[in-house]
Every structure is written in C-alpha cells, then in structure tokens.
C-alpha cells in the first residue's frame, strides 16, 4: 500500500492545494495532507484552524486525511509509513526551492521520494499569501478559495481588530 504525505503551511488551504490533493489522491492508496506546525513564516491561522479548514475542504476525498506535525518532515513521513512526499509546482521559482528541499530530505532519508505535480493552469498564479491579502482588502475570492475559507479570513480579521481596539482602550 503506497502512502504519500502532502506537507505544507496551508495558511489557508486554497483551490490550488485542493487540486493537487485531489490529483495526488488518485495516484496513491492513502494521502495524508500534513499541516506544518511551525513554518518559518508569519502565520495568519493557528495550526488547529489550518487543520480544520483543510479537513472541511478535503472531506469529499475518500482516501485523504488531514494531520499536523512539528519537526522534520522526513521524521513525520516515516512515522506515518509514507514513502512519497507530494509537492506542487507553480513556477520556476517553486522548482528551485523544491529541488533544494528535496536534496536535503533525500540526504536525511534516501527512502523518501518526492513527487511534484504541476499546478493546473487556472491556479498557476495562486498563492495563499496573496489570496489572504485580497480577501482582507475586500476583493473577490471565487474560484481561489472555498467560501468557508473566505468567511474564516473575514472572521479572523474582525476578531483581531476587536482584540486590538480592546487593548488600546485598556492602555488609554
Ligand atoms: P509551504 O510553506 O511548504 O510552501 P504552502 O502551503 O505554501 O506550504 O504550499 C504547500 C505546497 O503546495 C507547496 O509544494 C506549494 O508549492 C504548493 N502550492 C501552493 N499553491 C499552489 C498552487 N496554486 N498550485 C499548485 N501547488 C501549489
């Protein structure tokens, strides 16, 4: 039985990620979409929120599950019995990063192979960071993220703004 992991920040999950997950799920017996707990980037959603949004977005894919992990991806892959790591490629810039990461990972675990899937044409320009910014500024998100993900972004922005004004009121 071939198990693959699809690791990433998923902050939040987008239609580009969903497309890669759907296609990868057809290639392997079991696909685990794994939300990286502490990537070296500023996070908008907590790990629990990112997992919850990914679970909702992927619930229709039978052989796909969602988990989270901390530490090295190769250790996580081994702990769940995965022999393949799936990643998505949008542009040449992604390729360079993925190639470097893949060499590092192969050095740490030569039994773990990386399979990169090319993005579908309509998601080639789509990144989680850009879509977050657009939605926060009131732009459209149709076809980029599921509606419930857009709602979660709006809710988080409103909650953060509320929290900030409470803090300011306390200080003032
Ligand atoms: P990371 O922080 O590990 O890059 P991301 O959540 O940004 O995590 O992305 C996870 C994976 O999905 C990466 O391999 C990334 O290249 C890929 N990916 C991101 N957006 C898209 C997209 N629009 N189409 C295809 N793959 C994508």
């Amino acid at each position: 039985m071939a198990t693959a992991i699809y690791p990433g920040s998923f902050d939040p999950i987008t239609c580009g990620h969903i497309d890669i997950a759907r296609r990868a799920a057809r290639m392997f017996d079991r696909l685990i979409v794994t939300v990286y707990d502490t990537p070296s980037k500023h996070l908008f959603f907590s790990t629990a929120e990112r997992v919850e949004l990914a679970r909702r977005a992927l619930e229709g894919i039978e052989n796909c599950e969602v988990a989270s992990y901390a530490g090295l991806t190769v250790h996580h892959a081994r702990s769940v019995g995965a022999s393949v790591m799936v990643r998505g490629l949008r542009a040449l810039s992604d390729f360079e990063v993925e190639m470097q990461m893949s060499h590092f990972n192969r050095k740490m675990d030569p039994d773990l192979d990386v399979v990169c899937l090319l993005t579908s044409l309509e998601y080639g320009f789509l990144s989680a960071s850009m879509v977050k910014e657009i939605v926060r500024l009131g732009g459209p998100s149709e076809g980029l993220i599921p509606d419930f993900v857009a709602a979660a972004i709006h809710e988080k922005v409103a909650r953060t703004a509320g929290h900030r004004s409470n803090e300011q009121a306390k200080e003032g």
Side-chain angles (χ1 to χ4, degrees):
M1 175 157 138
T3 298
I5 57 164
Y6 175 26
S9 315
F10 303 107
D11 187 36
I13 192 159
T14 69
C15 293
H17 295 134
I18 298 168
D19 175 61
I20 296 288
R22 197 167 277 139
R23 288 159 55 202
R26 289 201 295 258
M27 299 167 68
F28 303 99
D29 299 303
R30 182 179 174 218
L31 178 73
I32 311 173
V33 172
T34 50
V35 176
Y36 184 32
D37 196 11
T38 46
S40 57
K41 24 175 143 166
H42 175 72
L43 289 170
F44 184 71
F45 286 110
S46 70
T47 303
E49 288 167 335
R50 287 178 288 139
V51 166
E52 177 55 30
L53 292 173
R55 279 212 177 111
R56 249 184 105 177
L58 302 169
E59 66 191 357
I61 309 174
E62 222 174 80
N63 58 338
C64 176
E65 46 199 277
V66 179
S68 66
Y69 75 106
L72 287 174
T73 310
V74 288
H75 290 168
H76 172 68
R78 195 163 275 232
S79 75
V80 296
S83 53
V84 171
M85 183 194 312
V86 171
R87 298 285 289 173
L89 289 181
R90 285 160 296 186
L92 215 54
S93 49
D94 276 348
F95 176 77
E96 284 181 20
V97 176
E98 295 301 334
M99 191 171 70
Q100 189 182 22
M101 203 155 59
S102 154
H103 286 314
F104 265 118
N105 285 331
R106 289 291 299 284
K107 194 157 177 56
M108 291 185 280
D109 185 350
D111 293 331
L112 183 68
D113 253 307
V114 178
V115 168
C116 287
L117 296 181
L118 294 185
T119 183
S120 294
L121 205 54
E122 63 268 44
Y123 306 126
F125 64 94
L126 176 55
S127 74
S129 52
M130 205 161 281
V131 80
K132 256 179 324 210
E133 198 56 25
I134 290 169
V135 171
R136 279 163 68 159
L137 297 172
S141 60
E142 285 87 358
L144 305 178
I145 46 174
D147 287 347
F148 63 84
V149 174
I153 296 173
H154 286 304
E155 203 183 301
K156 184 101 181 169
V157 169
R159 237 187 305 143
T160 311
H163 180 71
R164 270 210 205 104
S165 56
N166 280 344
E167 289 296 304
Q168 277 163 0
K170 265 192 231 160
E171 279 165 22

